[in-house]
């Protein structure tokens, strides 16, 4: 494991914040809206008994998001929920045309874009998704199959987001990012709120409260939502670890600096986690709720892909990063540890 940092801001948050907004901790509204969606059903919690024996711990459970709403990723819960939230505010007579005439635009490394495309289609809106040239062509084709218009811009996520933001300004479209920054909170906050659903499902499914939770992070939305829900449900007991690629240490460096900072680094094979600047609201939440932050190498993530595939779970380096950190921390985990991880997406060729 490349680096571990204990969080000095646990329980009280960053000393310097651009915003006081924290992630939502209440999954009630999410569950109510999702109940109206025919594609929604809960995803399984896998009891990885063989791996827990290898780890030398009491249990290892993996919340398996590969089948989420037929879109192959936890991201299905985010943008689709935010768009449904917008649709509900119109008090529609016909949900299928609630947002006709509206266009949502975003940048994505693939999965967030799928959620935007699917949500827009369901409620009668259009979707335009900007992808950087490092995103696999297969993701572009999957987005087009969902009815989205795909535009390619820049050599990294940040460049494609700049292009999406400019397109929103030029065309009067609605920018729907899965991140938040100064002056842009509401939509990204709703996306993050949608992720509470998988946390609430896991809490209901797991046979006993976890003692250790490992959460992969790009801009930090998944990690912040799950950590917030974990604190509300289980209090201070679980040790929450946030996991990033060593090539994209946006959260760990911000925690170290005590404020939001931009980072640089090479392109990571953990493409959905390859974000050089954290979500402002997610960082606020994780500074309060996470106990430690770690980075992992490309090889460590790929080795975990191979390990989980041998146990019947096919995913990507991005999807298994949390599990990778759990496996790497094996000597540090007590024998009575009850570990909870999330596999956040299916394989790219699924």
């Amino acid at each position: 494991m490349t680096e571990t940092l204990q969080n000095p801001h646990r329980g009280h948050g960053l000393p310097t914040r651009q915003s006081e907004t924290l992630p939502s901790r209440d999954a009630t509204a999410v569950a109510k809206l999702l109940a109206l969606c025919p594609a929604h059903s809960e995803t399984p919690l896998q009891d990885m008994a063989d791996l827990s024996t290898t780890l030398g711990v009491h249990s290892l459970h993996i919340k398996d998001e590969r089948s989420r709403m037929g879109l192959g990723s936890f991201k299905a819960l985010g943008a689709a929920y935010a768009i449904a939230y917008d649709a509900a505010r119109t008090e529609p007579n016909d949900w299928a045309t609630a947002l006709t005439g509206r266009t949502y635009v975003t940048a994505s490394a693939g999965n967030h874009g799928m959620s935007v495309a699917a949500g827009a289609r369901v409620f009668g809106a259009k979707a335009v998704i900007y992808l950087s040239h490092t995103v696999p062509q297969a993701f572009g084709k999957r987005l087009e199959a969902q009815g989205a218009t795909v535009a390619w811009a820049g050599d990294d996520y940040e460049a494609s987001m700049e292009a999406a933001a400019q397109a929103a300004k030029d065309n009067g479209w609605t920018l729907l990012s899965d991140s938040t920054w100064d002056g842009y909170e509401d939509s990204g906050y709703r996306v993050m709120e949608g992720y509470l659903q998988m946390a609430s499902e896991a809490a209901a499914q797991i046979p006993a409260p976890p003692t250790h939770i490992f959460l992969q992070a790009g801009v930090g939305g998944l990690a912040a939502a799950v950590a917030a829900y974990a604190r509300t449900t289980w209090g201070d007991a679980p040790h929450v670890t946030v996991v990033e690629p060593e090539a994209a240490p946006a959260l760990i460096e911000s925690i170290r600096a005590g404020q939001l900072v931009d980072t640089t680094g090479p392109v990571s094979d953990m493409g959905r986690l390859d974000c050089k600047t954290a979500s402002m609201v997610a960082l606020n939440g994780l500074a309060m709720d996470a106990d430690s932050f770690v980075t992992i190498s490309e090889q460590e993530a790929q080795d975990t892909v191979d390990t989980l595939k041998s146990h019947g779970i096919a995913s990507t380096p991005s999807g298994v990063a949390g599990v990778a950190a759990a496996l790497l921390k094996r000597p540090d985990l007590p024998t009575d540890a009850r570990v909870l991880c999330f596999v956040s997406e299916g394989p790219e060729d699924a």
Side-chain angles (χ1 to χ4, degrees):
M1 191 176 306
T2 306
E3 184 178 14
T4 300
L5 176 68
Q6 299 304 312
N7 180 12
H9 314 297
R10 172 77 175 88
H12 51 81
L14 294 174
T16 302
R17 307 180 204 178
Q18 295 179 348
S19 164
E20 294 300 314
T21 304
L22 294 170
S24 173
R25 295 170 182 262
D26 185 357
T28 305
V30 183
K32 285 182 178 178
L33 269 182
L34 287 174
L36 302 174
C37 176
H40 169 67
S41 62
E42 72 175 28
T43 56
L45 185 75
Q46 309 282 9
D47 184 352
M48 308 299 292
D50 290 347
L51 266 181
S52 66
T53 299
T54 300
L55 271 171
V57 298
H58 180 272
S59 63
L60 169 63
H61 286 90
I62 290 176
K63 181 64 168 163
D64 185 352
E65 289 293 301
R66 296 176 300 157
S67 62
R68 180 66 73 177
M69 296 172 71
L71 297 181
S73 163
F74 81 100
K75 292 277 188 178
L77 291 169
Y81 166 72
I83 294 171
Y85 183 89
D86 287 346
R89 293 173 70 186
T90 71
E91 299 182 355
N93 292 319
D94 180 7
W95 286 90
T97 59
L99 297 173
T100 297
R102 192 161 176 176
T103 298
Y104 289 88
V105 61
T106 194
S108 177
N111 290 323
H112 172 66
M114 289 288 286
S115 188
V116 173
R121 188 191 70 246
V122 166
F123 298 107
K126 295 180 180 179
V128 179
I129 315 298
Y130 279 78
L131 304 178
S132 76
H133 293 291
T134 58
V135 173
Q137 291 286 329
F139 270 113
K141 295 184 184 302
R142 288 174 62 191
L143 288 164
E144 289 171 343
Q146 288 289 336
T149 298
V150 174
W152 298 85
D155 293 326
D156 54 28
Y157 173 82
E158 287 71 23
S160 61
M161 176 52 73
E162 288 180 10
Q166 189 61 50
K169 182 184 294 186
D170 292 345
N171 297 289
W173 295 341
T174 300
L175 182 65
L176 184 53
S177 174
D178 58 351
S179 189
T180 58
W181 55 87
D182 191 17
Y184 182 87
E185 286 189 14
D186 290 351
S187 294
Y189 176 92
R190 292 299 170 201
V191 169
M192 203 181 314
E193 187 173 48
Y195 301 155
L196 289 170
Q197 178 67 23
M198 63 180 168
S200 67
E201 289 178 10
Q205 293 167 326
I206 201 164
T211 61
H212 295 75
I213 304 174
F214 293 86
L215 302 168
Q216 56 266 50
V219 297
L222 178 157
V226 175
Y229 194 86
R231 293 298 174 219
T232 299
T233 305
W234 297 306
D236 290 333
H239 184 102
V240 175
T241 300
V242 177
V243 185
E244 297 179 283
E246 62 180 349
L251 287 159
I252 196 171
E253 292 302 333
S254 294
I255 292 295
R256 194 193 315 277
Q259 62 183 350
L260 182 66
V261 297
D262 296 328
T263 62
T264 60
V267 173
S268 172
D269 289 339
M270 289 170 267
R272 261 68 67 207
L273 308 182
D274 190 13
C275 304
K276 311 304 188 190
T277 303
S279 164
M280 178 179 66
V281 174
L283 175 63
N284 286 349
L286 289 169
M288 294 277 290
D289 295 329
D291 294 290
S292 60
F293 293 77
V294 304
T295 60
I296 61 173
S297 71
E298 305 295 298
Q299 189 61 55
E300 287 165 341
Q302 185 55 57
D303 288 347
T304 305
V305 169
D306 298 338
T307 296
L308 284 187
K309 188 173 183 180
S310 71
H311 287 268
I313 297 181
S315 185
T316 67
S318 300
V320 306
V323 183
L327 295 176
L328 292 162
K329 286 184 72 68
R330 180 187 312 166
D332 301 331
L333 294 172
T335 57
D336 61 352
R338 298 184 299 274
V339 180
L340 173 62
C341 299
F342 291 73
V343 166
S344 56
E345 66 179 11
E348 290 177 354
D349 58 355

